[in-house]
Amino acid sequence: METNQFYPEVYDINNLFLAYKKARKGKSKKLYVVEFEKDLIKNLVMLSEELKSRSYFPLPLKTFILRDPKTRKISKSDFRDRVVHHALVRVIEPIFDKSFIYDSCANRIGKGSLFALKRFESFKRRVTNNLTSEGFCLKADIKHYFKEVNHNTLVNLIKKDISDERVIILIKRILKNSSSIKKTSEKGMPLGNLTSQFFANIYLNELDYFVKHKLRAKHYIRYVDDFIILHKSEKQLTKWKVEINEFLKEKLKIELHPKKSRIISLSRGIDFIGFRNLYYHRLLRKRNIRKMKNVIERYKREEISKEKALEIFQGWRAYAKWANSFKLRKRFMKKFDSNAILF
């Protein structure tokens, strides 16, 4: 299909139905999903008609503060808008995904946290000659990334592959939707939107190409706005850090976080994708352990049911298994007085 004909795919009723199924995944018991499903066909047809006539506008975001442990402002879209986000991404993601580098790991089919961890292990062994010599890591974080994404820059990047002006208008409306007072702001995306995660990959794909093709860094991994480069030379990483920051400021109007972007010896261990990655083993972050301890304490105080606590534990256990945590998982399991979960 020609690039000027993508929009009908977005509002196609079959696409919207598949988008609805994705949006409800893991949330089928939520009241807002139940309400939407009471008149499912009517709601999907209405969305389709609004999108087709271009009278669709997203509802105001609902914002709340999340502390886990750092404070983050999370903005949630109304469920009907989340359906639209999924419908849009379902259509345009394949166009962009084929241009993303292999080691862009977040929010991509077949990639994710485990993929990133495995790539880190592989790169670590390469730069240290199979752990026999010293290696270094530039661990970088972009300062206030989701607050600072420039809308015009993002839209211009999208226009390189999407010329359908109707799609561009829909994207602009999604970007403009905000719960903040500054309705005229030309930057920022809300944490929590599927589109924000997807747009992050489009925006930072420019960084990926700069690092891989201009700097020719071989051992680079990006997960949303966190990225690492491994190298045997600390001096080389120091030089690249300066060049990367200059590129980000000039081309993308963002910059590295001065305190969270640093060069670390691999022997000290690298915090990446929620784990402390050491030379010969991997540990869970302390805050991750504390979160599970809090769940167990709430269960003991009868603030949550055993069923709910075990459900949370199941998810935590699947994540914790990626680290050297057998004894810890076994100790936590005993708190439930149950042998229901295998290790």
Side-chain angles (χ1 to χ4, degrees):
M1 180 171 283
E2 296 296 323
T3 56
N4 63 352
Q5 291 296 312
F6 286 125
Y7 195 64
E9 288 189 50
V10 176
Y11 64 74
D12 179 83
I13 196 70
N14 293 317
N15 184 48
L16 286 171
F17 179 73
L18 293 171
Y20 142 75
K21 289 181 73 175
K22 281 207 166 190
R24 79 186 286 274
K25 189 175 181 180
K27 300 176 178 66
S28 58
K29 294 181 182 179
K30 295 286 187 181
L31 184 60
Y32 55 78
V33 176
V34 174
E35 287 296 319
F36 190 86
E37 290 176 337
K38 284 181 179 178
D39 215 337
L40 177 60
I41 302 303
K42 179 183 176 183
N43 285 328
L44 292 179
V45 169
M46 282 178 62
L47 267 182
S48 179
E49 289 300 320
E50 286 180 31
L51 287 165
K52 185 177 182 179
S53 64
R54 286 185 271 174
S55 61
Y56 164 81
F57 283 90
L59 296 170
L61 301 174
K62 293 181 180 178
T63 300
F64 59 95
I65 303 299
L66 189 65
R67 294 179 175 88
D68 67 337
K70 67 179 181 180
T71 301
R72 291 186 296 163
K73 181 181 175 183
I74 306 294
S75 297
K76 289 180 66 174
S77 294
D78 189 86
F79 184 71
R80 75 192 294 271
D81 296 324
R82 282 182 247 173
V83 172
V84 173
H85 297 168
H86 278 277
L88 173 65
V89 172
R90 273 182 51 78
V91 171
I92 68 173
E93 183 177 34
I95 301 157
F96 291 96
D97 190 76
K98 60 188 177 185
S99 71
F100 294 159
I101 67 165
Y102 186 74
D103 290 307
S104 168
C105 303
N107 310 300
R108 297 181 67 196
I109 296 170
K111 300 297 173 75
S113 301
L114 182 57
F115 175 87
L117 286 171
K118 286 179 177 178
R119 292 294 281 172
F120 176 86
E121 287 298 314
S122 174
F123 289 169
K124 181 177 71 175
R125 289 185 175 275
R126 289 184 202 175
V127 302
T128 61
N129 298 313
N130 207 23
L131 308 181
T132 61
S133 60
E134 190 173 22
F136 298 90
C137 175
L138 167 58
K139 184 182 183 303
D141 180 282
I142 295 171
K143 184 179 179 182
H144 303 149
Y145 173 68
F146 281 93
K147 291 181 182 178
E148 296 297 326
V149 167
N150 184 279
H151 293 179
N152 289 332
T153 302
L154 173 60
V155 169
N156 286 335
L157 291 172
I158 293 171
K159 282 182 175 179
K160 289 180 180 180
D161 291 286
I162 302 288
S163 60
D164 188 335
E165 191 59 31
R166 296 165 297 178
V167 174
I168 299 301
I169 289 170
L170 175 59
I171 289 170
K172 286 180 178 179
R173 287 179 182 176
I174 291 170
L175 289 172
K176 281 286 186 183
N177 188 36
S178 173
S179 59
S180 66
I181 297 172
K182 295 180 180 179
K183 297 290 183 182
T184 58
S185 175
E186 292 295 331
K187 63 181 183 179
M189 299 189 298
L191 278 169
N193 272 3
L194 171 71
T195 46
S196 297
Q197 307 299 316
F198 173 63
F199 292 154
N201 278 344
I202 296 175
Y203 204 78
L204 293 176
N205 192 44
E206 300 298 301
L207 167 66
D208 298 343
Y209 272 74
F210 175 75
V211 173
K212 294 293 290 183
H213 299 292
K214 182 71 175 179
L215 302 183
R216 298 188 178 277
K218 293 181 179 179
H219 306 117
Y220 166 80
I221 307 168
R222 181 175 61 79
Y223 195 93
V224 192
D225 60 325
D226 291 330
F227 66 89
I228 58 171
I229 307 176
L230 279 63
H231 202 279
K232 61 183 179 181
S233 168
E234 184 178 13
K235 184 178 180 181
Q236 180 65 77
L237 289 176
T238 301
K239 181 175 182 291
W240 281 348
K241 180 184 175 184
V242 173
E243 291 178 290
I244 287 169
N245 206 30
E246 288 175 354
F247 171 82
L248 291 174
K249 287 179 179 179
E250 181 182 344
K251 299 294 184 180
L252 298 178
K253 298 178 175 58
I254 51 179
E255 62 182 308
L256 294 179
H257 196 295
K259 293 181 180 178
K260 295 180 181 179
S261 301
R262 56 193 185 279
I263 297 161
I264 309 164
S265 171
L266 287 168
S267 61
R268 287 179 52 194
I270 308 298
D271 276 338
F272 185 55
I273 316 292
F275 296 91
R276 180 88 173 149
N277 298 276
L278 299 156
Y279 250 38
Y280 301 104
H281 60 289
R282 186 183 298 134
L283 300 175
L284 286 166
R285 282 179 176 169
K286 289 180 180 179
R287 73 185 188 195
N288 188 280
I289 298 171
R290 281 198 303 269
K291 284 172 72 173
M292 194 60 234
K293 282 183 177 179
N294 289 337
V295 170
I296 293 170
E297 288 171 6
R298 290 179 64 200
Y299 157 64
K300 292 293 184 182
R301 294 195 300 265
E302 298 184 350
E303 292 177 7
I304 57 174
S305 67
K306 184 175 182 178
E307 181 184 12
K308 180 64 177 176
L310 279 171
E311 181 186 334
I312 296 170
F313 179 77
Q314 285 276 26
W316 178 87
R317 180 187 71 97
Y319 177 81
K321 283 178 75 173
W322 297 357
N324 300 82
S325 61
F326 178 82
K327 290 182 180 179
L328 177 66
R329 286 179 278 129
K330 190 173 183 179
R331 188 168 75 246
F332 280 178
M333 188 63 245
K334 287 180 179 178
K335 303 289 185 181
F336 295 106
D337 301 318
S338 170
N339 296 315
I341 301 176
L342 299 176
F343 288 84

